[in-house]
Amino acid sequence: MRVPRGWDGERIILRFGSATPHAVVFVDDTEVGRNKGGYMPFEFDVTDLVSAGGTFRLTVAVDNRLDNTCIPPGEVRELPDGRRQQNYLHDFYNYSGLHRSVLLCSRPARHVTVTTGYEGTTGQVTWAVAQSEEGPVRIAVVDKQTGEVVARAGGGSGTVEIEDVTLWTPGVGGLYDLVVTLLDETDGPVDTFTQHFGVRTVRIDGYRFLINEQPFYFIGFGMHEDHETIGKAHSNAHMVQDTELLSWIGANSLRTSHYPYSEEFMDCCDRHGIVVIDETPAVGLNWMMAGGILDSGGGETYEEGHVDDRTQATHADEIRRLVARDKNRPSVVLWSIANEPDSTSPGAIDYFRPLVELTRECDPTRPVGFVNVMFAPYDKCLISDMFDVIMLNRYYGWYVDSGDLQTSEQKFSAELAGWMEKYRLPIIITEYGADTVAGLHSIYDQPFTEDYQVAYLEMNSKVFDECEAVVGEQMWNFADFQTKYGFARVDGNKKGAFTRDRRPKAAARYLRERWTSMEAARYGRRDHRAR
Ligand code: GCB
């Protein structure tokens, strides 16, 4: 790598969008640092090791082994013949490598936190700059649509008002830039950086999830960063294709199942008004799931060597880093701190309570949730009362009562009534789905056919429409994706509305018909034809 000649006297930073799951970074022969955790950015100051105008060799060693100190956790087993085998309890392939941008940049260490609100047509923007070298600060707020400066102020923190504010609106977007200029003692500019933000509010009121005080109904998918050939790597072309398909099908939201997605993708959601449930990589924290499918090897979840204090410490770190990365994003309206953990074992209470408190401390402005697994219904789950919303993954008609949609409908409705009665909180159905082989048809309700997937979705839709507390449906999954090998997966998970190469199954047509005409989803609809 060559360091630009003009960077003499500047701080020089190496920044990684992510390295999955662990990395050791070298500049020439010197180790500059290590990072643990696959889906978060990290950076190292290499000023003392490189020189402006010179070159250096950058080496990154990426390690794909997962153990119980990792989030997500895993286990490397030693087989009798000496081979080592990686096991893990999550249902997506453990792609490893440098999946996101690697940048060499020159800048002081600085960061800004932006929070917003509004009163009538006046927006309030509160900012707080953190910088390594103290000095005066000037800020300007720029309307990204018009390029006009709508407010100016001085100081490392404060609040300014925007007259006739454009709210960040689901389905539309609406961004401003906070332009922060760091100054020296003579008021000369040292550095300028820009942070985009949106003015919007989020609040829960009874069964309703309010964005800008309007009831919002989540429509869309749990997704994966997953493509043939590039695995979990970010690509702008795929990002545009996926977000255009979301728009085509009438989706207004998604969950970043089961880890934080690339910053490029999140920026795109901010720009286009796609509402995001932002999830940590805490998936597979469950030893109570059927050993057959997930091969847990038995034992309790919350015990030494499985999910223990070390796992919890890493989990806490993942929460801190996720909030630090995404707190300024208007698209993010809800944190999901785990997917389908064991929430029926008593150990779950002591494990989760500090994590929920930590999330609220890191971000007092957004609701906090976790995604509940089917084996932990309302009368068995021990942790749902710590959270602001109920998020449920339910597979009636697939993993239970497979092929019997009538029984499924009754059981699902009864369960939802139980949640509604007990918790009196909004319910988002974060997963429901059926594996489907594109092109397979039957005149009967036969699992794995496209016809069954549609019938299954119709049944689910009916259940949601009849439950007042349901404020969202995110089908599993947007597209077929790769998983670890196992007898329950034929070339990966096939629950996609789209195939892995993004061709629509019959289900996609069904969902488009439903979602583009739903009255409940009027607020936040993205009009595909208008764009
Ligand atoms: C789930 C998990 C998801 C799986 C899905 C399935 O509940 O959250 O990661 O892929 O079920 O298809 O079994």
Side-chain angles (χ1 to χ4, degrees):
M1 276 188 134
R2 180 172 291 280
V3 183
R5 206 189 306 271
W7 286 6
D8 205 15
E10 302 280 314
R11 292 183 71 222
I12 298 171
I13 310 281
L14 257 175
R15 184 181 198 274
F16 295 81
S18 69
T20 308
H22 319 300
V24 190
V25 178
F26 300 85
V27 164
D28 294 323
D29 294 333
T30 310
E31 180 183 322
V32 293
R34 292 172 178 240
N35 181 70
K36 184 169 176 170
Y39 306 94
M40 274 291 125
F42 57 96
E43 57 185 44
F44 301 115
D45 188 326
V46 296
T47 315
D48 295 341
L49 296 170
V50 302
S51 49
T55 59
F56 68 93
R57 188 184 65 242
L58 171 63
T59 309
V60 186
V62 181
D63 183 345
N64 67 358
R65 285 169 300 178
L66 298 173
D67 61 30
N68 83 314
T69 67
C70 304
I71 289 286
E75 183 195 7
V76 179
R77 292 175 186 163
E78 182 98 18
L79 303 181
D81 62 6
R83 281 179 303 136
R84 284 175 305 161
Q85 196 175 65
Q86 173 75 68
N87 189 45
Y88 48 86
L89 302 182
H90 53 269
D91 186 33
F92 58 91
Y93 192 77
N94 184 33
Y95 283 113
S96 163
L98 296 177
H99 294 145
R100 300 176 187 168
S101 312
V102 179
L103 303 176
L104 183 69
C105 36
S106 132
R107 57 167 166 73
R110 73 287 190 274
H111 183 76
V112 65
T113 305
V114 187
T115 49
T116 64
Y118 64 89
E119 197 73 49
T121 58
T122 306
Q124 285 116 20
V125 182
T126 301
W127 80 96
V129 177
Q131 53 176 321
S132 53
E133 285 132 46
E134 282 304 304
V137 174
R138 212 167 42 212
I139 64 113
V141 176
V142 178
D143 183 328
K144 260 177 120 56
Q145 192 74 22
T146 61
E148 273 169 36
V149 176
V150 294
R152 286 183 201 278
S157 61
T159 300
V160 278
E161 295 198 331
I162 306 176
E163 297 303 329
D164 285 327
V165 67
T166 305
L167 296 183
W168 187 90
T169 305
V172 179
L175 293 178
Y176 290 91
D177 271 338
L178 186 82
V179 183
V180 182
T181 305
L182 309 178
L183 308 164
D184 60 22
E185 302 76 53
T186 61
D187 272 5
V190 177
D191 186 37
T192 297
F193 68 98
T194 298
Q195 171 66 57
H196 73 253
F197 68 94
V199 179
R200 60 115 186 80
T201 57
V202 176
R203 186 167 75 85
I204 282 159
D205 174 37
Y207 293 131
R208 300 183 312 161
F209 194 103
L210 303 175
I211 300 182
N212 297 336
E213 293 299 302
Q214 300 212 45
F216 182 72
Y217 190 90
F218 295 77
I219 282 182
F221 301 95
M223 316 250 307
H224 265 301
E225 289 183 322
D226 174 274
H227 287 91
E228 187 80 51
T229 317
I230 63 168
K232 293 213 167 304
H234 171 77
S235 120
N236 282 339
H238 286 119
M239 173 183 77
V240 170
Q241 183 183 30
D242 285 0
T243 50
E244 283 300 305
L245 287 175
L246 287 174
S247 167
W248 173 83
I249 208 167
N252 59 19
S253 69
L254 58 94
R255 176 171 59 117
T256 68
S257 40
H258 296 308
Y259 39 83
Y261 291 178
S262 73
E263 291 162 279
E264 290 87 341
F265 187 86
M266 298 299 284
D267 288 345
C268 183
C269 293
D270 286 340
R271 272 197 306 277
H272 293 291
I274 302 170
V275 171
V276 176
I277 302 174
D278 207 2
E279 189 157 277
T280 72
V283 54
L285 276 58
N286 199 331
W287 265 252
M288 308 311 277
M289 303 266 269
I293 296 176
L294 293 168
D295 188 19
S296 73
E300 296 287 322
T301 303
Y302 300 98
E303 69 179 26
E304 187 86 35
H306 287 172
V307 177
D308 60 22
D309 291 352
R310 294 183 305 170
T311 327
Q312 191 192 38
T314 314
H315 196 159
D317 219 44
E318 290 291 347
I319 291 172
R320 279 187 212 102
R321 291 172 75 178
L322 177 64
V323 176
R325 192 194 75 163
D326 289 348
K327 65 185 167 192
N328 293 327
R329 298 188 178 284
S331 60
V332 174
V333 298
L334 172 60
W335 304 111
S336 165
I337 66 166
N339 179 71
E340 298 193 341
D342 171 2
S343 62
T344 56
S345 299
I349 300 173
D350 287 345
Y351 181 86
F352 275 100
R353 198 176 294 288
L355 297 178
V356 179
E357 281 165 13
L358 171 71
T359 317
R360 293 197 209 286
E361 240 169 67
C362 294
D363 178 16
T365 72
R366 290 177 181 83
V368 182
F370 85 104
V371 172
N372 166 287
V373 66
M374 182 137 196
F375 308 110
Y378 62 93
D379 52 347
K380 295 210 174 64
C381 181
L382 300 176
I383 61 170
S384 284
D385 59 351
M386 298 177 197
F387 294 87
D388 302 312
V389 290
I390 303 293
M391 291 193 273
L392 304 178
N393 291 352
R394 290 299 180 268
Y395 287 92
Y396 289 101
W398 187 253
Y399 288 123
V400 292
D401 297 306
S402 185
D404 180 355
L405 294 176
Q406 246 173 299
T407 306
S408 300
E409 184 183 332
Q410 289 158 11
K411 287 192 182 167
F412 197 1
S413 297
E415 198 202 332
L416 286 182
W419 281 101
M420 197 171 151
E421 177 69 17
K422 178 159 183 193
Y423 289 97
R424 308 212 156 267
L425 291 173
I427 300 172
I428 304 168
I429 309 298
T430 34
E431 286 182 27
Y432 59 108
D435 283 273
T436 303
V437 179
L440 192 63
H441 289 277
S442 169
I443 55 169
Y444 304 109
D445 274 353
Q446 193 179 319
F448 293 103
T449 62
E450 293 203 33
D451 314 79
Y452 185 71
Q453 192 181 29
V454 171
Y456 170 94
L457 295 179
E458 279 168 345
M459 178 279 287
N460 276 271
S461 304
K462 199 157 164 245
V463 172
F464 306 153
D465 290 346
E466 283 165 5
C467 180
E468 187 197 340
V470 171
V471 297
E473 51 191 75
Q474 293 188 330
M475 186 245 191
W476 191 254
N477 185 283
F478 171 68
D480 295 347
F481 59 93
Q482 195 50 269
T483 61
K484 70 176 183 180
Y485 298 157
F487 63 80
R489 296 286 176 259
V490 185
D491 190 30
N493 190 308
K494 292 272 182 282
K495 295 192 184 69
F498 296 91
T499 58
R500 201 173 184 211
D501 62 354
R502 278 42 178 179
R503 290 171 195 272
K505 297 180 190 170
R509 296 272 171 195
Y510 166 76
L511 290 173
R512 181 169 196 252
E513 186 63 34
R514 171 174 166 80
W515 288 349
T516 54
S517 56
M518 263 177 97
E519 192 43 36
R522 205 174 37 76
Y523 181 59
R525 179 165 299 136
R526 299 172 66 212
D527 187 350
H528 189 254
R529 281 145 309 178
R531 297 171 65 233

